[in-house]
Amino acid sequence: KRVAAVAVRQVHTEAKIAAMGLQLPPPGAAQANYILAVRSGDMVFTAGHLPMDHDGTLVSGKVGVDLSTDQAYDAAKLIGLNILTTLKKELG
């Protein structure tokens, strides 16, 4: 029964992201000597990701000092999108 429930709830992730007015950034390379994602069985482990903008600009600073709350929120969205890009690259 659980398999049937999953089949009914299929969501195309990229379509949902586009509907939210967002766009996945191009996949980037690791900035140091590490791997962005590793598969182990049916699990994927991701490395730490940074808030890199689509043009490669790194968002940095301390909330309340260098960044407003809204800017920090946008930086967190960038991190999430970068993680999704890594997962798309790893899983296809």
Side-chain angles (χ1 to χ4, degrees), residues 7 18 34 38 41 48 60 64-65 76:
Y34 63 92
V38 174
S60 64
V65 177

Side-chain angles (χ1 to χ4, degrees), residues 2-92:
R2 186 166 192 223
V3 174
V6 171
V8 172
R9 296 189 63 216
Q10 286 183 346
V11 175
H12 193 273
T13 305
E14 290 183 71
K16 179 69 173 177
I17 290 169
M20 295 170 66
L22 302 172
Q23 179 182 356
L24 288 179
Q31 299 295 316
N33 188 21
Y34 63 92
I35 298 171
L36 289 174
V38 174
R39 285 194 214 193
S40 178
D42 62 350
M43 297 175 68
V44 177
F45 296 90
T46 62
H49 284 68
L50 298 172
M52 298 288 271
D53 206 347
H54 295 290
D55 63 0
T57 304
L58 175 65
V59 178
S60 64
K62 186 174 180 180
V63 180
V65 177
D66 305 305
L67 300 172
S68 69
T69 304
D70 289 338
Q71 290 171 317
Y73 179 81
D74 290 340
K77 281 197 298 191
L78 285 173
I79 293 169
L81 291 171
N82 286 325
I83 292 170
L84 290 174
T85 296
T86 297
L87 290 172
K88 179 182 176 185
K89 182 178 177 183
E90 179 66 25
L91 301 172

